Amino acid sequence: MNNARRPTTACRSCSARPTRPRPRRPRLKQPPARRTFNQQRFVRWCQEAYDQGGVLTLLDLSLLSGLAESYAGQLLRQYEQEHAMTVPIRGTVHDIGPSVSHKAEVIRRYLRGQSPADIARELNHSQHAVDRYIKDYEVTRTLAQKFPLHEIPALAKHAASLVREHVQLIREYEPNLVFYSPEPAVAAQAAA
């Protein structure tokens, strides 16, 4: 079964045991220190759950920490940007949600010449997901040379936001790639 668009009830459930905080935690008075502390424990908990065969959600992190889900998500996004890595939470591992940033990171690494196996390992993604992201990119790349950009989402059966992300990556990494443009005779007839 494809992990994308899979309801929570269809996902396998397992127990993961994040390590408990140390008995004596240092007093954190400065917000940057508190932010770093929370980021590090969220990443540690997510990695421990992933290593045990499970994944945590932002709700899980919220319940474990007593902090808001939105704040946990914000801290993880900041951590991922600062450290150029993907934290293994349910949304990224199971390819759930509107974000395409992890897909873009896979494609960036692919376009830089990194092997799909290395990409999967470094970004905590399955090989199947990485291969699918690359295939989707290649489809968009091919269609962009033959059809108008506004038609690609329907032709490729991809979200418009994903196609926009692919087009941005094409322009960044393959600036000499020629995009579709109507033939002069056809354009002249359409204008008349």
Side-chain angles (χ1 to χ4, degrees), residues 42-44 46-47 50 55 75-96 99-109 118-126 130 133:
F42 289 166
V43 171
R44 179 172 44 91
C46 290
Q47 192 60 53
Y50 185 75
V55 288
L75 289 179
L76 288 179
R77 282 188 298 278
Q78 289 172 353
Y79 184 90
E80 289 174 337
Q81 289 175 345
E82 291 167 5
H83 294 87
M85 66 168 288
T86 302
V87 178
I89 60 173
R90 182 171 182 262
T92 56
V93 172
H94 292 170
D95 190 22
I96 298 169
S99 174
V100 294
S101 60
H102 61 283
K103 295 175 185 176
E105 183 59 27
V106 167
I107 301 305
R108 276 188 196 93
R109 290 173 183 236
D118 289 341
I119 295 169
R121 187 180 71 259
E122 290 177 13
L123 295 180
N124 294 315
H125 271 51
S126 69
V130 169
Y133 300 160

mmCIF file of all heavy atoms in Angstrom, residues 42-44 46-47 50 55 75-96 99-109 118-126 130 133:
data_model
loop_
_atom_site.group_PDB
_atom_site.id
_atom_site.type_symbol
_atom_site.label_atom_id
_atom_site.label_comp_id
_atom_site.label_asym_id
_atom_site.label_seq_id
_atom_site.Cartn_x
_atom_site.Cartn_y
_atom_site.Cartn_z
ATOM 1 N N PHE A 42 13.576 16.988 21.145
ATOM 2 C CA PHE A 42 12.619 16.538 20.127
ATOM 3 C C PHE A 42 13.310 15.659 19.084
ATOM 4 O O PHE A 42 12.807 14.612 18.708
ATOM 5 C CB PHE A 42 11.951 17.730 19.438
ATOM 6 C CG PHE A 42 10.982 18.496 20.296
ATOM 7 C CD1 PHE A 42 10.545 19.746 19.895
ATOM 8 C CD2 PHE A 42 10.511 17.985 21.486
ATOM 9 C CE1 PHE A 42 9.635 20.467 20.669
ATOM 10 C CE2 PHE A 42 9.615 18.693 22.271
ATOM 11 C CZ PHE A 42 9.181 19.938 21.865
ATOM 12 N N VAL A 43 14.479 16.117 18.631
ATOM 13 C CA VAL A 43 15.225 15.339 17.640
ATOM 14 C C VAL A 43 15.633 13.992 18.233
ATOM 15 O O VAL A 43 15.513 12.955 17.582
ATOM 16 C CB VAL A 43 16.449 16.135 17.127
ATOM 17 C CG1 VAL A 43 17.357 15.267 16.277
ATOM 18 C CG2 VAL A 43 15.988 17.358 16.347
ATOM 19 N N ARG A 44 16.099 13.995 19.473
ATOM 20 C CA ARG A 44 16.509 12.745 20.131
ATOM 21 C C ARG A 44 15.329 11.791 20.239
ATOM 22 O O ARG A 44 15.435 10.610 19.901
ATOM 23 C CB ARG A 44 17.096 13.040 21.517
ATOM 24 C CG ARG A 44 17.531 11.795 22.279
ATOM 25 C CD ARG A 44 18.286 12.146 23.563
ATOM 26 N NE ARG A 44 17.690 13.199 24.342
ATOM 27 C CZ ARG A 44 16.788 13.010 25.316
ATOM 28 N NH1 ARG A 44 16.382 11.804 25.614
ATOM 29 N NH2 ARG A 44 16.310 14.039 25.991
ATOM 30 N N CYS A 46 12.574 11.715 18.449
ATOM 31 C CA CYS A 46 12.162 11.261 17.106
ATOM 32 C C CYS A 46 13.124 10.203 16.574
ATOM 33 O O CYS A 46 12.698 9.194 16.002
ATOM 34 C CB CYS A 46 12.090 12.439 16.144
ATOM 35 S SG CYS A 46 10.721 13.570 16.463
ATOM 36 N N GLN A 47 14.419 10.438 16.766
ATOM 37 C CA GLN A 47 15.410 9.483 16.273
ATOM 38 C C GLN A 47 15.328 8.158 17.044
ATOM 39 O O GLN A 47 15.425 7.082 16.453
ATOM 40 C CB GLN A 47 16.816 10.069 16.367
ATOM 41 C CG GLN A 47 17.854 9.263 15.622
ATOM 42 C CD GLN A 47 17.552 9.159 14.132
ATOM 43 O OE1 GLN A 47 17.342 10.159 13.462
ATOM 44 N NE2 GLN A 47 17.523 7.953 13.603
ATOM 45 N N TYR A 50 12.315 6.282 15.801
ATOM 46 C CA TYR A 50 12.587 5.772 14.457
ATOM 47 C C TYR A 50 13.511 4.554 14.522
ATOM 48 O O TYR A 50 13.298 3.561 13.834
ATOM 49 C CB TYR A 50 13.200 6.882 13.608
ATOM 50 C CG TYR A 50 13.411 6.513 12.160
ATOM 51 C CD1 TYR A 50 12.329 6.443 11.277
ATOM 52 C CD2 TYR A 50 14.673 6.233 11.671
ATOM 53 C CE1 TYR A 50 12.512 6.109 9.945
ATOM 54 C CE2 TYR A 50 14.868 5.899 10.341
ATOM 55 C CZ TYR A 50 13.780 5.839 9.485
ATOM 56 O OH TYR A 50 13.960 5.499 8.170
ATOM 57 N N VAL A 55 7.503 5.978 14.594
ATOM 58 C CA VAL A 55 7.672 7.409 14.326
ATOM 59 C C VAL A 55 6.755 8.177 15.258
ATOM 60 O O VAL A 55 5.705 7.680 15.659
ATOM 61 C CB VAL A 55 7.352 7.784 12.855
ATOM 62 C CG1 VAL A 55 8.420 7.288 11.921
ATOM 63 C CG2 VAL A 55 6.008 7.276 12.428
ATOM 64 N N LEU A 75 10.021 24.432 15.885
ATOM 65 C CA LEU A 75 11.375 24.114 16.333
ATOM 66 C C LEU A 75 12.031 23.067 15.436
ATOM 67 O O LEU A 75 13.221 23.172 15.108
ATOM 68 C CB LEU A 75 11.362 23.621 17.782
ATOM 69 C CG LEU A 75 11.064 24.658 18.855
ATOM 70 C CD1 LEU A 75 11.055 24.014 20.234
ATOM 71 C CD2 LEU A 75 12.052 25.806 18.805
ATOM 72 N N LEU A 76 11.265 22.057 15.020
ATOM 73 C CA LEU A 76 11.824 21.023 14.158
ATOM 74 C C LEU A 76 12.176 21.579 12.781
ATOM 75 O O LEU A 76 13.220 21.229 12.221
ATOM 76 C CB LEU A 76 10.868 19.839 14.030
ATOM 77 C CG LEU A 76 10.752 18.964 15.276
ATOM 78 C CD1 LEU A 76 9.761 17.832 15.048
ATOM 79 C CD2 LEU A 76 12.096 18.401 15.692
ATOM 80 N N ARG A 77 11.320 22.437 12.218
ATOM 81 C CA ARG A 77 11.630 23.044 10.917
ATOM 82 C C ARG A 77 12.905 23.888 10.994
ATOM 83 O O ARG A 77 13.757 23.830 10.112
ATOM 84 C CB ARG A 77 10.456 23.889 10.414
ATOM 85 C CG ARG A 77 9.328 23.053 9.817
ATOM 86 C CD ARG A 77 8.272 23.915 9.159
ATOM 87 N NE ARG A 77 7.606 24.831 10.080
ATOM 88 C CZ ARG A 77 6.604 24.492 10.887
ATOM 89 N NH1 ARG A 77 6.134 23.259 10.875
ATOM 90 N NH2 ARG A 77 6.048 25.380 11.684
ATOM 91 N N GLN A 78 13.039 24.653 12.081
ATOM 92 C CA GLN A 78 14.246 25.464 12.263
ATOM 93 C C GLN A 78 15.477 24.565 12.378
ATOM 94 O O GLN A 78 16.510 24.843 11.770
ATOM 95 C CB GLN A 78 14.125 26.332 13.516
ATOM 96 C CG GLN A 78 13.147 27.464 13.393
ATOM 97 C CD GLN A 78 12.914 28.177 14.727
ATOM 98 O OE1 GLN A 78 13.395 27.745 15.772
ATOM 99 N NE2 GLN A 78 12.149 29.262 14.679
ATOM 100 N N TYR A 79 15.354 23.491 13.137
ATOM 101 C CA TYR A 79 16.470 22.560 13.312
ATOM 102 C C TYR A 79 16.861 21.940 11.971
ATOM 103 O O TYR A 79 18.051 21.847 11.654
ATOM 104 C CB TYR A 79 16.085 21.461 14.316
ATOM 105 C CG TYR A 79 17.219 20.515 14.626
ATOM 106 C CD1 TYR A 79 18.099 20.787 15.674
ATOM 107 C CD2 TYR A 79 17.428 19.371 13.871
ATOM 108 C CE1 TYR A 79 19.152 19.934 15.953
ATOM 109 C CE2 TYR A 79 18.478 18.517 14.144
ATOM 110 C CZ TYR A 79 19.340 18.796 15.189
ATOM 111 O OH TYR A 79 20.383 17.944 15.455
ATOM 112 N N GLU A 80 15.869 21.527 11.189
ATOM 113 C CA GLU A 80 16.144 20.921 9.889
ATOM 114 C C GLU A 80 16.866 21.894 8.963
ATOM 115 O O GLU A 80 17.789 21.505 8.248
ATOM 116 C CB GLU A 80 14.845 20.435 9.244
ATOM 117 C CG GLU A 80 14.257 19.222 9.930
ATOM 118 C CD GLU A 80 12.899 18.819 9.393
ATOM 119 O OE1 GLU A 80 12.196 19.668 8.803
ATOM 120 O OE2 GLU A 80 12.534 17.641 9.568
ATOM 121 N N GLN A 81 16.466 23.158 8.986
ATOM 122 C CA GLN A 81 17.124 24.159 8.142
ATOM 123 C C GLN A 81 18.550 24.440 8.617
ATOM 124 O O GLN A 81 19.467 24.528 7.811
ATOM 125 C CB GLN A 81 16.320 25.461 8.131
ATOM 126 C CG GLN A 81 15.031 25.360 7.359
ATOM 127 C CD GLN A 81 14.194 26.628 7.462
ATOM 128 O OE1 GLN A 81 14.434 27.471 8.318
ATOM 129 N NE2 GLN A 81 13.200 26.743 6.601
ATOM 130 N N GLU A 82 18.726 24.540 9.926
ATOM 131 C CA GLU A 82 20.043 24.853 10.474
ATOM 132 C C GLU A 82 21.039 23.715 10.272
ATOM 133 O O GLU A 82 22.227 23.950 10.113
ATOM 134 C CB GLU A 82 19.934 25.173 11.971
ATOM 135 C CG GLU A 82 19.219 26.472 12.269
ATOM 136 C CD GLU A 82 18.836 26.621 13.736
ATOM 137 O OE1 GLU A 82 19.208 25.747 14.554
ATOM 138 O OE2 GLU A 82 18.167 27.610 14.062
ATOM 139 N N HIS A 83 20.550 22.468 10.300
ATOM 140 C CA HIS A 83 21.439 21.313 10.240
ATOM 141 C C HIS A 83 21.363 20.566 8.907
ATOM 142 O O HIS A 83 21.995 19.519 8.755
ATOM 143 C CB HIS A 83 21.138 20.355 11.394
ATOM 144 C CG HIS A 83 21.448 20.953 12.730
ATOM 145 N ND1 HIS A 83 20.545 21.723 13.429
ATOM 146 C CD2 HIS A 83 22.576 20.924 13.476
ATOM 147 C CE1 HIS A 83 21.096 22.123 14.557
ATOM 148 N NE2 HIS A 83 22.330 21.654 14.620
ATOM 149 N N ALA A 84 20.586 21.060 7.956
ATOM 150 C CA ALA A 84 20.443 20.448 6.630
ATOM 151 C C ALA A 84 20.155 18.953 6.737
ATOM 152 O O ALA A 84 20.815 18.116 6.133
ATOM 153 C CB ALA A 84 21.680 20.693 5.779
ATOM 154 N N MET A 85 19.171 18.619 7.560
ATOM 155 C CA MET A 85 18.770 17.221 7.719
ATOM 156 C C MET A 85 17.260 17.148 7.916
ATOM 157 O O MET A 85 16.620 18.162 8.176
ATOM 158 C CB MET A 85 19.482 16.578 8.906
ATOM 159 C CG MET A 85 19.090 17.161 10.259
ATOM 160 S SD MET A 85 19.637 16.215 11.670
ATOM 161 C CE MET A 85 18.584 14.811 11.624
ATOM 162 N N THR A 86 16.709 15.965 7.763
ATOM 163 C CA THR A 86 15.288 15.749 7.969
ATOM 164 C C THR A 86 15.099 14.934 9.238
ATOM 165 O O THR A 86 15.690 13.865 9.389
ATOM 166 C CB THR A 86 14.673 14.994 6.776
ATOM 167 O OG1 THR A 86 14.906 15.763 5.597
ATOM 168 C CG2 THR A 86 13.187 14.793 6.963
ATOM 169 N N VAL A 87 14.296 15.438 10.149
ATOM 170 C CA VAL A 87 13.993 14.712 11.387
ATOM 171 C C VAL A 87 12.898 13.699 11.068
ATOM 172 O O VAL A 87 11.901 14.047 10.434
ATOM 173 C CB VAL A 87 13.533 15.694 12.493
ATOM 174 C CG1 VAL A 87 13.171 14.951 13.767
ATOM 175 C CG2 VAL A 87 14.613 16.723 12.773
ATOM 176 N N PRO A 88 13.058 12.445 11.495
ATOM 177 C CA PRO A 88 12.078 11.412 11.152
ATOM 178 C C PRO A 88 10.795 11.486 11.985
ATOM 179 O O PRO A 88 10.642 10.801 12.988
ATOM 180 C CB PRO A 88 12.838 10.105 11.409
ATOM 181 C CG PRO A 88 13.817 10.452 12.481
ATOM 182 C CD PRO A 88 14.200 11.883 12.225
ATOM 183 N N ILE A 89 9.870 12.353 11.574
ATOM 184 C CA ILE A 89 8.545 12.383 12.190
ATOM 185 C C ILE A 89 7.569 11.732 11.215
ATOM 186 O O ILE A 89 7.897 11.486 10.060
ATOM 187 C CB ILE A 89 8.096 13.825 12.558
ATOM 188 C CG1 ILE A 89 8.022 14.712 11.331
ATOM 189 C CG2 ILE A 89 9.000 14.407 13.625
ATOM 190 C CD1 ILE A 89 7.419 16.073 11.610
ATOM 191 N N ARG A 90 6.375 11.455 11.664
ATOM 192 C CA ARG A 90 5.417 10.720 10.832
ATOM 193 C C ARG A 90 5.170 11.394 9.486
ATOM 194 O O ARG A 90 5.111 10.748 8.454
ATOM 195 C CB ARG A 90 4.089 10.541 11.574
ATOM 196 C CG ARG A 90 3.101 9.732 10.754
ATOM 197 C CD ARG A 90 1.865 9.360 11.558
ATOM 198 N NE ARG A 90 1.005 8.543 10.714
ATOM 199 C CZ ARG A 90 -0.042 9.012 10.045
ATOM 200 N NH1 ARG A 90 -0.367 10.280 10.124
ATOM 201 N NH2 ARG A 90 -0.757 8.215 9.300
ATOM 202 N N GLY A 91 5.036 12.703 9.481
ATOM 203 C CA GLY A 91 4.736 13.410 8.239
ATOM 204 C C GLY A 91 5.804 13.258 7.176
ATOM 205 O O GLY A 91 5.501 13.133 5.999
ATOM 206 N N THR A 92 7.079 13.240 7.583
ATOM 207 C CA THR A 92 8.146 13.115 6.599
ATOM 208 C C THR A 92 8.424 11.662 6.236
ATOM 209 O O THR A 92 8.641 11.354 5.073
ATOM 210 C CB THR A 92 9.448 13.776 7.093
ATOM 211 O OG1 THR A 92 9.820 13.220 8.347
ATOM 212 C CG2 THR A 92 9.288 15.263 7.224
ATOM 213 N N VAL A 93 8.377 10.771 7.211
ATOM 214 C CA VAL A 93 8.669 9.363 6.927
ATOM 215 C C VAL A 93 7.581 8.739 6.070
ATOM 216 O O VAL A 93 7.851 7.998 5.129
ATOM 217 C CB VAL A 93 8.851 8.561 8.238
ATOM 218 C CG1 VAL A 93 8.957 7.075 7.968
ATOM 219 C CG2 VAL A 93 10.088 9.057 8.984
ATOM 220 N N HIS A 94 6.320 9.062 6.363
ATOM 221 C CA HIS A 94 5.196 8.472 5.623
ATOM 222 C C HIS A 94 4.690 9.368 4.495
ATOM 223 O O HIS A 94 3.647 9.092 3.910
ATOM 224 C CB HIS A 94 4.054 8.131 6.573
ATOM 225 C CG HIS A 94 4.388 7.016 7.501
ATOM 226 N ND1 HIS A 94 3.588 6.677 8.566
ATOM 227 C CD2 HIS A 94 5.417 6.143 7.533
ATOM 228 C CE1 HIS A 94 4.119 5.652 9.205
ATOM 229 N NE2 HIS A 94 5.234 5.322 8.597
ATOM 230 N N ASP A 95 5.412 10.458 4.221
ATOM 231 C CA ASP A 95 5.062 11.347 3.112
ATOM 232 C C ASP A 95 3.631 11.856 3.231
ATOM 233 O O ASP A 95 2.822 11.723 2.332
ATOM 234 C CB ASP A 95 5.274 10.613 1.779
ATOM 235 C CG ASP A 95 5.168 11.538 0.591
ATOM 236 O OD1 ASP A 95 5.347 12.749 0.772
ATOM 237 O OD2 ASP A 95 4.883 11.047 -0.507
ATOM 238 N N ILE A 96 3.332 12.429 4.389
ATOM 239 C CA ILE A 96 1.986 12.914 4.674
ATOM 240 C C ILE A 96 2.052 14.427 4.881
ATOM 241 O O ILE A 96 2.976 14.931 5.498
ATOM 242 C CB ILE A 96 1.419 12.252 5.943
ATOM 243 C CG1 ILE A 96 1.324 10.753 5.738
ATOM 244 C CG2 ILE A 96 0.066 12.827 6.318
ATOM 245 C CD1 ILE A 96 1.027 9.988 6.997
ATOM 246 N N SER A 99 3.524 19.748 2.909
ATOM 247 C CA SER A 99 4.885 20.211 2.697
ATOM 248 C C SER A 99 5.599 19.400 1.626
ATOM 249 O O SER A 99 5.486 18.190 1.574
ATOM 250 C CB SER A 99 5.672 20.105 4.004
ATOM 251 O OG SER A 99 7.011 20.412 3.781
ATOM 252 N N VAL A 100 6.328 20.093 0.773
ATOM 253 C CA VAL A 100 7.125 19.399 -0.236
ATOM 254 C C VAL A 100 8.608 19.668 -0.021
ATOM 255 O O VAL A 100 9.423 19.299 -0.843
ATOM 256 C CB VAL A 100 6.720 19.800 -1.676
ATOM 257 C CG1 VAL A 100 5.339 19.337 -1.991
ATOM 258 C CG2 VAL A 100 6.879 21.286 -1.893
ATOM 259 N N SER A 101 8.959 20.286 1.096
ATOM 260 C CA SER A 101 10.353 20.655 1.306
ATOM 261 C C SER A 101 11.267 19.434 1.366
ATOM 262 O O SER A 101 12.385 19.476 0.859
ATOM 263 C CB SER A 101 10.502 21.492 2.576
ATOM 264 O OG SER A 101 10.067 20.758 3.690
ATOM 265 N N HIS A 102 10.812 18.345 1.987
ATOM 266 C CA HIS A 102 11.663 17.160 2.044
ATOM 267 C C HIS A 102 11.819 16.545 0.654
ATOM 268 O O HIS A 102 12.865 16.019 0.313
ATOM 269 C CB HIS A 102 11.129 16.140 3.047
ATOM 270 C CG HIS A 102 9.773 15.616 2.738
ATOM 271 N ND1 HIS A 102 8.628 16.335 2.983
ATOM 272 C CD2 HIS A 102 9.384 14.453 2.194
ATOM 273 C CE1 HIS A 102 7.579 15.627 2.602
ATOM 274 N NE2 HIS A 102 8.006 14.489 2.118
ATOM 275 N N LYS A 103 10.811 16.661 -0.180
ATOM 276 C CA LYS A 103 10.912 16.172 -1.561
ATOM 277 C C LYS A 103 11.927 17.022 -2.315
ATOM 278 O O LYS A 103 12.746 16.496 -3.073
ATOM 279 C CB LYS A 103 9.552 16.234 -2.252
ATOM 280 C CG LYS A 103 8.526 15.300 -1.634
ATOM 281 C CD LYS A 103 7.162 15.479 -2.259
ATOM 282 C CE LYS A 103 6.140 14.622 -1.544
ATOM 283 N NZ LYS A 103 4.795 14.825 -2.039
ATOM 284 N N ALA A 104 11.883 18.317 -2.098
ATOM 285 C CA ALA A 104 12.825 19.212 -2.772
ATOM 286 C C ALA A 104 14.254 18.902 -2.334
ATOM 287 O O ALA A 104 15.169 18.931 -3.162
ATOM 288 C CB ALA A 104 12.475 20.669 -2.474
ATOM 289 N N GLU A 105 14.452 18.588 -1.064
ATOM 290 C CA GLU A 105 15.794 18.262 -0.586
ATOM 291 C C GLU A 105 16.306 16.981 -1.237
ATOM 292 O O GLU A 105 17.479 16.885 -1.608
ATOM 293 C CB GLU A 105 15.816 18.124 0.943
ATOM 294 C CG GLU A 105 17.194 17.866 1.508
ATOM 295 C CD GLU A 105 18.215 18.948 1.193
ATOM 296 O OE1 GLU A 105 17.845 20.121 0.986
ATOM 297 O OE2 GLU A 105 19.417 18.613 1.152
ATOM 298 N N VAL A 106 15.432 16.003 -1.429
ATOM 299 C CA VAL A 106 15.815 14.772 -2.128
ATOM 300 C C VAL A 106 16.272 15.102 -3.551
ATOM 301 O O VAL A 106 17.324 14.650 -4.006
ATOM 302 C CB VAL A 106 14.645 13.761 -2.154
ATOM 303 C CG1 VAL A 106 14.912 12.622 -3.131
ATOM 304 C CG2 VAL A 106 14.387 13.206 -0.757
ATOM 305 N N ILE A 107 15.495 15.930 -4.247
ATOM 306 C CA ILE A 107 15.817 16.273 -5.634
ATOM 307 C C ILE A 107 17.102 17.095 -5.699
ATOM 308 O O ILE A 107 17.937 16.881 -6.586
ATOM 309 C CB ILE A 107 14.644 17.023 -6.312
ATOM 310 C CG1 ILE A 107 13.374 16.173 -6.297
ATOM 311 C CG2 ILE A 107 15.008 17.439 -7.730
ATOM 312 C CD1 ILE A 107 13.531 14.800 -6.925
ATOM 313 N N ARG A 108 17.291 18.038 -4.770
ATOM 314 C CA ARG A 108 18.527 18.829 -4.757
ATOM 315 C C ARG A 108 19.747 17.914 -4.663
ATOM 316 O O ARG A 108 20.721 18.074 -5.397
ATOM 317 C CB ARG A 108 18.535 19.787 -3.560
ATOM 318 C CG ARG A 108 17.814 21.065 -3.776
ATOM 319 C CD ARG A 108 18.036 22.041 -2.620
ATOM 320 N NE ARG A 108 17.047 23.071 -2.715
ATOM 321 C CZ ARG A 108 15.858 23.063 -2.102
ATOM 322 N NH1 ARG A 108 15.533 22.069 -1.305
ATOM 323 N NH2 ARG A 108 15.009 24.038 -2.264
ATOM 324 N N ARG A 109 19.682 16.969 -3.759
ATOM 325 C CA ARG A 109 20.814 16.048 -3.584
ATOM 326 C C ARG A 109 21.002 15.179 -4.830
ATOM 327 O O ARG A 109 22.126 14.903 -5.222
ATOM 328 C CB ARG A 109 20.603 15.189 -2.338
ATOM 329 C CG ARG A 109 20.734 16.004 -1.058
ATOM 330 C CD ARG A 109 20.348 15.201 0.168
ATOM 331 N NE ARG A 109 20.407 16.017 1.349
ATOM 332 C CZ ARG A 109 21.137 15.717 2.420
ATOM 333 N NH1 ARG A 109 21.853 14.611 2.442
ATOM 334 N NH2 ARG A 109 21.134 16.504 3.467
ATOM 335 N N ASP A 118 22.187 6.752 -0.849
ATOM 336 C CA ASP A 118 22.769 7.659 0.145
ATOM 337 C C ASP A 118 21.744 8.700 0.600
ATOM 338 O O ASP A 118 21.680 9.044 1.779
ATOM 339 C CB ASP A 118 24.001 8.372 -0.417
ATOM 340 C CG ASP A 118 25.193 7.439 -0.575
ATOM 341 O OD1 ASP A 118 25.209 6.360 0.063
ATOM 342 O OD2 ASP A 118 26.112 7.789 -1.347
ATOM 343 N N ILE A 119 20.960 9.190 -0.340
ATOM 344 C CA ILE A 119 19.928 10.176 -0.005
ATOM 345 C C ILE A 119 18.935 9.572 0.978
ATOM 346 O O ILE A 119 18.593 10.190 1.989
ATOM 347 C CB ILE A 119 19.197 10.667 -1.281
ATOM 348 C CG1 ILE A 119 20.158 11.428 -2.200
ATOM 349 C CG2 ILE A 119 17.999 11.545 -0.913
ATOM 350 C CD1 ILE A 119 19.595 11.723 -3.576
ATOM 351 N N ALA A 120 18.474 8.370 0.692
ATOM 352 C CA ALA A 120 17.496 7.703 1.573
ATOM 353 C C ALA A 120 18.062 7.537 2.973
ATOM 354 O O ALA A 120 17.380 7.809 3.969
ATOM 355 C CB ALA A 120 17.099 6.356 0.981
ATOM 356 N N ARG A 121 19.304 7.096 3.068
ATOM 357 C CA ARG A 121 19.916 6.864 4.373
ATOM 358 C C ARG A 121 20.090 8.174 5.143
ATOM 359 O O ARG A 121 19.722 8.275 6.312
ATOM 360 C CB ARG A 121 21.261 6.159 4.204
ATOM 361 C CG ARG A 121 21.887 5.738 5.514
ATOM 362 C CD ARG A 121 23.235 5.044 5.354
ATOM 363 N NE ARG A 121 24.270 6.001 4.935
ATOM 364 C CZ ARG A 121 24.740 6.151 3.697
ATOM 365 N NH1 ARG A 121 24.306 5.380 2.735
ATOM 366 N NH2 ARG A 121 25.655 7.048 3.412
ATOM 367 N N GLU A 122 20.616 9.201 4.482
ATOM 368 C CA GLU A 122 20.901 10.464 5.160
ATOM 369 C C GLU A 122 19.645 11.224 5.566
ATOM 370 O O GLU A 122 19.656 11.955 6.550
ATOM 371 C CB GLU A 122 21.788 11.341 4.282
ATOM 372 C CG GLU A 122 23.197 10.811 4.156
ATOM 373 C CD GLU A 122 24.061 11.647 3.227
ATOM 374 O OE1 GLU A 122 23.653 12.781 2.874
ATOM 375 O OE2 GLU A 122 25.143 11.165 2.850
ATOM 376 N N LEU A 123 18.565 11.078 4.798
ATOM 377 C CA LEU A 123 17.344 11.833 5.093
ATOM 378 C C LEU A 123 16.282 10.997 5.831
ATOM 379 O O LEU A 123 15.153 11.447 5.996
ATOM 380 C CB LEU A 123 16.746 12.394 3.798
ATOM 381 C CG LEU A 123 17.599 13.442 3.078
ATOM 382 C CD1 LEU A 123 16.902 13.918 1.820
ATOM 383 C CD2 LEU A 123 17.915 14.609 3.995
ATOM 384 N N ASN A 124 16.650 9.790 6.243
ATOM 385 C CA ASN A 124 15.721 8.920 6.960
ATOM 386 C C ASN A 124 14.447 8.668 6.166
ATOM 387 O O ASN A 124 13.343 8.738 6.682
ATOM 388 C CB ASN A 124 15.356 9.506 8.337
ATOM 389 C CG ASN A 124 16.533 9.562 9.268
ATOM 390 O OD1 ASN A 124 17.283 8.599 9.374
ATOM 391 N ND2 ASN A 124 16.719 10.679 9.932
ATOM 392 N N HIS A 125 14.617 8.380 4.873
ATOM 393 C CA HIS A 125 13.488 8.067 3.998
ATOM 394 C C HIS A 125 13.661 6.660 3.471
ATOM 395 O O HIS A 125 14.775 6.143 3.386
ATOM 396 C CB HIS A 125 13.446 9.037 2.808
ATOM 397 C CG HIS A 125 12.659 10.271 3.057
ATOM 398 N ND1 HIS A 125 12.833 11.070 4.148
ATOM 399 C CD2 HIS A 125 11.662 10.836 2.342
ATOM 400 C CE1 HIS A 125 12.000 12.078 4.094
ATOM 401 N NE2 HIS A 125 11.275 11.968 3.000
ATOM 402 N N SER A 126 12.566 6.058 3.075
ATOM 403 C CA SER A 126 12.662 4.742 2.459
ATOM 404 C C SER A 126 13.214 4.902 1.042
ATOM 405 O O SER A 126 13.047 5.946 0.409
ATOM 406 C CB SER A 126 11.285 4.071 2.406
ATOM 407 O OG SER A 126 10.448 4.738 1.481
ATOM 408 N N VAL A 130 12.255 7.793 -1.989
ATOM 409 C CA VAL A 130 13.265 8.577 -2.716
ATOM 410 C C VAL A 130 13.159 8.303 -4.214
ATOM 411 O O VAL A 130 13.167 9.235 -5.026
ATOM 412 C CB VAL A 130 14.685 8.266 -2.184
ATOM 413 C CG1 VAL A 130 15.755 8.855 -3.093
ATOM 414 C CG2 VAL A 130 14.836 8.800 -0.769
ATOM 415 N N TYR A 133 10.134 10.163 -5.578
ATOM 416 C CA TYR A 133 10.356 11.605 -5.699
ATOM 417 C C TYR A 133 11.171 11.915 -6.951
ATOM 418 O O TYR A 133 10.878 12.863 -7.681
ATOM 419 C CB TYR A 133 11.094 12.168 -4.476
ATOM 420 C CG TYR A 133 10.405 12.005 -3.153
ATOM 421 C CD1 TYR A 133 11.123 12.098 -1.974
ATOM 422 C CD2 TYR A 133 9.040 11.757 -3.052
ATOM 423 C CE1 TYR A 133 10.520 11.964 -0.743
ATOM 424 C CE2 TYR A 133 8.428 11.616 -1.820
ATOM 425 C CZ TYR A 133 9.173 11.719 -0.663
ATOM 426 O OH TYR A 133 8.572 11.576 0.549
#
